[in-house]
Amino acid sequence: MSPGRNGFDGSDGNGAPLAAASDHVRDELVRFVRALRRAGVEVPANAGVTAGRGLADVGLDDPDRVRVALRASLVADARDRPTFERLFEAFWRRLGAGPDAADAAGWTDDGPDGGLASFGAEPAASESGEGGEGDEDERDETLAERHVGAVVGRETAAADGDGATTARYSPNGRRTAVSAARADHEFGTAFDALTKSLATLSGRRWRAGGDERPDVRRALRASVATGGTVAELPRRRRTRSELRACLLVDVSRSVLDVVDRSFLLEFLRHAHEAWREARVFFFDDDLREVTSAFDAPDERALDALSRAETEWGGGTRIGGSFARLHERASDAVSRDSVVFVVSDGLEMGDVETLEREAAWLSRRARAVFWLNPLAASPEFEPTARGMAAALPYLDGLFAFAGPDDLAELARQLDRQGRHGRIGYEYDPRRVEATDERRNTS
Amino acid sequence: MSERPTGFTETTEAEVRAAFDATGYVADDEIVTTTALSLRLGKPLLVEGEPGAGKTELAKVLANGFDTDLVRLQCYEGLTAESALYEWNYTKQLLSVQTADTGGGPGEGVDGPGSAGGADPSVFTEEYLLERPLLRALRADGDRPPVLLIDEVDRADEEFEALLLEVLSEFQVTIPELGTVRASTPPAVVITSNRTRGLSDALKRRCLFLHVEPPSFEKERAILERRVPELDTAVAAELCAAVGRLREEPLLKPPGAAETIDWARAVAVLRDGSDEPLDPETVRTTLGCLLKEVEDVERVDDDLLGSLLAAATEVDA
């Protein structure tokens, strides 16, 4: 590696006066970092300094090496690379133009916002087919958490033949007001049992066993029986009591017509309050995060929903919504998080997309549970296109009509574990109802 | 992060490339430049990418190529400071105390007179210290500092990440009973992550980033040529095409480059140097090298098998 010291520490690779060149490179680097941040790239706090050192090391002769050095310093998330590439072109052009050209063109830095306005309007942006501002708008709409006040989506006519022939469970269903329900004892018990059975993270309490730390107290107590000799060193571990979850809630009309909305909201609010992290997303033909709507206690969250006049009840593109999660908020799902999908599985979009994204969810999450309000019926079978496509990638499909279903989910997990024979088909209530039907017929 | 010399500060890109070439690691310019920059600036290299893309291998070849030790810390859920940094040998300490109590006298350790360091009756000395990977990397005393590989850091808890920050900030650690241990020359640090969870900003701030993309057809073919030279070149191309087609399926565990290498080795052994095109029987019998989930193997029915072979045939055409 030939340390090109252009503009930084001694030699001058461009023939421009050293100080001016150095200032110019520094200025453009600062602008570039700001432009990245404005475009939504999460640039680490001191990355500009690292980038400067990187530039000093690789020099300014070869744009490809400059690109690599800056990318390694500034882009912590691979999804930000396209934005980086687009803005880098502008940065490189301006760097090559020199400080005089910058002054002549009126490229002045008037603070964090003003100085970078021209970045988005650079020819490079349009050449690449992405308008700078448009890009930013798009990011704002997709990356930033949107409030529930946004319109979720209107009924979209299913253009494909499959969608057109898909049965709808309540074509005449109307949107109804959402009412708050107080958490009763039954719900609380069921919810606590579910949390306990699914806990993925260590809490603060210690218990005997495991291999995290020596249990000195038990060792001393045991040594009394052996004349002060410690025959073996017992150890202890932290209890698992915390849960991280991602909740994907289908708010299309077919779901809202059959689900108990009060129960649904109670479940979401409890999850938000009790679990270490619970990110909530609503989806129908698009997906948006609504976690912040559950920050307010009780009625205030619902008041906010009412005031926002949320339009619930469009068609459903489950696969497309999962793809949006994958693309824009994949950090909501991690190895130590449990994903809950609340949906009836009626897919109006592309089933292959749903299959692909369900596979991704399955790979990425600790567990994926599908909570289907329709599964509470003893006659239920997962024959809906979306439900059938997603089924192989689920850890379990369960009913979701009331606290009893949560309790049943927790009971099965406790007895069988995540990898055991669990799901709606092993629900004793269903088995009982099926036997009754057989006897009567 | 420490700005002190790391023993790699004078490393050139040519040396990094030579190290990769010597071990058969196929690396493009971005990987070479970023790795060299990380070594020269003394910053940990955070390598992210899909499983099987060669992230861990990068650290191994770096250690091999520069003829230095590789100290590996495999992260897992629940990893604690004791497992990563150091631990006291409790059993030995207890035995030593009892030996002293029963007449062995102070300073006469379990290994015989004088073994505990003479006049020092303490059981908190070097003798009782169990080094774990992080401490071993800090105290290495070879000609060149080791390469410290912190593998799959996203599997560890956030609490461990905080500990890691503390160690990587100054390349030193304080052991209350012994004092501060500081690396004379800090190790080269490679951290890998599969992005199963987001990492803290504090950790990101201290690293340079390298995103290893899934290998392209050409790159994968070059990997096979270097790593499985006994396989016929045309057959290697067919395998790469078939794997590429397989990755388009919604698999629970898509095969990475490592699986392709395993598959190629299996095919090479079975076919004993033959340059005949791939046949369905060979693909079916060796599929276990490529797919590690039962559901994925079951997905490969006759139709998909035909599709894989068609993709392989297109390469020949």
Side-chain angles (χ1 to χ4, degrees):
Chain A
M1 184 183 294
S2 59
R5 316 279 183 194
N6 303 346
F8 276 99
D9 62 349
S11 68
D12 172 13
N14 294 337
L18 177 63
S22 172
D23 287 347
H24 174 59
V25 172
R26 219 177 354 248
D27 288 350
E28 289 305 334
L29 184 57
V30 169
R31 288 184 182 194
F32 181 44
V33 170
R34 286 181 179 174
L36 286 170
R37 287 198 175 115
R38 281 165 50 88
V41 178
E42 284 188 34
V43 181
N46 67 337
V49 176
T50 307
R53 292 178 61 207
L55 275 186
D57 199 275
V58 301
L60 297 173
D61 298 331
D62 182 353
D64 287 337
R65 294 177 71 222
V66 170
R67 186 192 305 266
V68 168
L70 292 186
R71 199 162 49 202
S73 311
L74 303 173
V75 183
D77 189 332
R79 291 169 299 181
D80 291 328
R81 290 180 76 152
T83 309
F84 171 89
E85 297 300 338
R86 180 169 54 81
L87 294 175
F88 178 83
E89 294 304 325
F91 161 78
W92 185 250
R93 255 200 327 278
R94 291 170 60 158
L95 200 64
D100 297 338
D103 292 342
W107 294 339
T108 53
D109 189 357
D110 59 329
D113 296 335
L116 293 169
S118 56
F119 257 105
E122 282 290 318
S126 44
E127 281 165 20
S128 65
E130 296 173 309
E133 283 180 32
D135 237 28
E136 221 168 288
D137 291 347
E138 193 182 324
R139 285 194 76 97
D140 285 349
E141 280 195 353
T142 52
L143 269 180
E145 178 170 311
R146 281 185 261 169
H147 293 288
V148 192
V151 173
V152 172
R154 301 280 192 277
E155 175 83 42
T156 52
D160 60 304
D162 286 343
T165 56
T166 304
R168 298 183 64 83
Y169 278 80
S170 181
N172 300 318
R174 290 178 302 133
R175 289 195 291 275
T176 55
V178 180
S179 60
R182 294 205 168 277
D184 53 14
H185 176 69
E186 189 187 4
F187 181 93
T189 307
F191 188 87
D192 291 346
L194 177 66
T195 304
K196 193 176 169 187
S197 61
L198 278 177
T200 58
L201 302 170
S202 300
R204 299 174 64 88
R205 292 178 182 278
W206 291 92
R207 64 183 299 176
D211 61 350
E212 285 186 32
R213 284 197 183 170
D215 194 338
V216 179
R217 182 182 299 179
R218 290 169 73 89
L220 284 172
R221 195 182 304 149
S223 72
V224 172
T226 53
T229 301
V230 176
E232 61 172 341
L233 190 66
R235 304 184 80 89
R236 57 192 186 139
R237 62 188 168 90
R238 286 193 189 275
T239 54
R240 283 182 182 276
S241 57
E242 298 287 341
L243 180 59
R244 180 172 285 149
C246 173
L247 300 118
L248 306 172
V249 183
D250 184 343
V251 291
S252 61
R253 194 172 63 200
S254 63
V255 173
L256 294 178
D257 286 344
V258 294
V259 76
D260 178 342
R261 300 184 197 188
S262 299
F263 167 64
L264 168 65
L265 285 167
E266 205 59 57
F267 173 64
L268 296 177
R269 190 183 298 110
H270 258 71
H272 184 65
E273 287 171 2
W275 294 344
R276 181 175 290 182
E277 182 185 275
R279 291 178 66 176
V280 186
F281 296 84
F282 283 175
F283 69 89
D284 51 5
D285 57 2
D286 195 5
L287 172 127
R288 59 208 4 93
E289 185 164 6
V290 294
T291 309
S292 62
F294 293 89
D295 287 338
D298 292 337
E299 280 75 10
R300 275 202 285 156
L302 291 174
D303 289 347
L305 290 174
S306 304
R307 274 201 311 275
E309 295 178 354
T310 310
E311 296 261 354
W312 282 357
T316 324
R317 284 210 290 271
I318 307 173
S321 301
F322 288 2
R324 178 57 66 91
L325 180 81
H326 186 169
E327 185 187 339
R328 298 295 187 186
S330 60
D331 58 332
V333 183
S334 63
R335 194 190 297 274
D336 55 8
S337 64
V338 176
V339 175
F340 292 94
V341 180
V342 180
S343 172
D344 57 1
L346 291 178
E347 174 63 294
M348 306 295 283
D350 181 15
V351 172
E352 280 182 13
T353 305
L354 171 57
E355 203 176 3
R356 191 179 64 245
E357 298 304 327
W360 169 75
L361 273 178
S362 169
R363 283 197 302 270
R364 193 170 171 91
R366 161 83 48 118
V368 183
F369 295 110
W370 196 292
L371 308 178
N372 191 329
L374 303 175
S377 161
E379 289 85 22
F380 170 80
E381 290 298 337
T383 51
R385 291 163 63 237
M387 197 68 261
L391 202 55
Y393 304 100
L394 304 179
D395 289 84
L397 165 61
F398 290 88
F400 188 72
D404 286 351
D405 295 319
L406 285 190
E408 176 58 21
L409 169 56
R411 188 190 68 82
Q412 289 193 29
L413 285 169
D414 255 354
R415 290 199 174 189
Q416 306 290 339
R418 274 195 302 117
H419 302 295
R421 294 154 70 88
I422 58 172
Y424 74 100
E425 62 268 51
Y426 304 108
D427 188 332
R429 296 168 299 174
R430 177 188 171 92
V431 176
E432 216 172 279
T434 308
D435 289 345
E436 269 181 36
R437 269 208 323 277
R438 278 205 197 104
N439 293 336
T440 51
S441 61
Chain B
M1 187 61 63
S2 172
E3 305 289 327
R4 288 171 296 134
T6 65
F8 290 100
T9 48
E10 298 305 315
T11 309
T12 64
E13 278 186 56
E15 286 172 334
V16 172
R17 192 179 295 282
F20 287 153
D21 287 344
T23 47
Y25 188 84
V26 180
D28 56 24
D29 289 347
E30 181 180 7
I31 293 177
V32 172
T33 303
T34 307
T35 305
L37 205 55
S38 152
L39 296 173
R40 291 172 67 89
L41 298 182
K43 280 186 162 286
L45 182 63
L46 175 56
V47 192
E48 291 190 329
E50 293 298 314
K55 303 186 294 294
T56 303
E57 196 67 17
L58 191 149
K60 290 180 183 173
V61 301
L62 214 53
N64 278 339
F66 286 104
D67 194 25
T68 185
D69 292 334
L70 174 74
V71 180
R72 178 173 181 169
L73 173 62
Q74 175 63 52
C75 297
Y76 54 88
E77 198 174 338
L79 176 65
T80 58
E82 289 89 348
S83 313
L85 209 48
Y86 71 92
E87 204 167 2
W88 291 108
N89 190 338
Y90 300 106
T91 313
K92 196 173 178 181
Q93 287 176 322
L94 286 163
L95 286 171
S96 181
V97 168
Q98 285 167 5
T99 305
D101 286 346
T102 54
E108 194 167 301
V110 291
D111 297 331
S115 66
D120 184 8
S122 170
V123 289
F124 290 100
T125 60
E126 278 290 343
E127 188 189 349
Y128 302 94
L129 188 71
L130 298 174
E131 267 184 359
R132 298 300 183 217
L134 289 180
L135 187 62
R136 196 178 317 138
L138 294 183
R139 305 210 304 178
D141 54 1
D143 294 338
R144 222 183 181 140
V147 173
L148 170 62
L149 166 62
I150 299 168
D151 210 9
E152 296 185 309
V153 69
D154 50 324
R155 283 179 180 266
D157 308 329
E158 287 90 343
E159 293 84 349
F160 176 76
E161 217 175 290
L163 168 82
L164 204 57
L165 287 175
E166 205 176 320
V167 174
L168 294 182
S169 286
E170 293 301 327
F171 288 109
Q172 67 177 37
V173 59
T174 300
I175 302 172
E177 300 85 352
L178 286 182
T180 298
V181 176
R182 184 180 171 90
S184 52
T185 46
V189 183
V190 177
I191 304 173
T192 74
S193 163
N194 289 331
R195 286 193 64 83
T196 58
R197 70 169 175 87
L199 300 175
S200 71
D201 287 342
L203 182 64
K204 287 181 187 174
R205 210 166 54 229
R206 286 164 169 77
C207 299
L208 286 184
F209 314 102
L210 177 61
H211 305 284
V212 182
E213 300 291 341
S216 62
F217 172 80
E218 288 76 15
K219 185 176 177 180
E220 202 156 29
R221 193 165 62 172
I223 290 171
L224 289 191
E225 280 175 15
R226 290 197 196 183
R227 302 297 294 271
V228 196
E230 64 272 27
L231 186 69
D232 180 76
T233 312
V235 178
E238 287 180 3
L239 293 187
C240 294
V243 174
R245 169 65 189 84
L246 196 57
R247 287 190 186 121
E248 293 171 9
E249 292 294 309
L251 300 171
L252 287 171
K253 279 201 169 32
E259 282 76 24
T260 310
I261 293 170
D262 287 345
W263 192 36
R265 283 180 178 147
V267 171
V269 168
L270 279 179
R271 295 161 56 95
D272 202 20
S274 162
D275 59 353
E276 291 295 312
L278 270 182
D279 59 278
E281 194 53 34
T282 303
V283 175
R284 196 178 284 287
T285 52
T286 53
L287 216 50
C289 302
L290 207 56
L291 300 174
K292 306 296 168 70
E293 296 285 340
V294 175
E295 292 86 346
D296 290 344
V297 175
E298 286 172 351
R299 176 176 279 278
V300 185
D301 53 13
D302 289 342
D303 288 347
L304 183 52
L305 194 61
S307 176
L308 297 181
L309 291 167
T313 312
E314 279 176 26
V315 175
D316 295 332

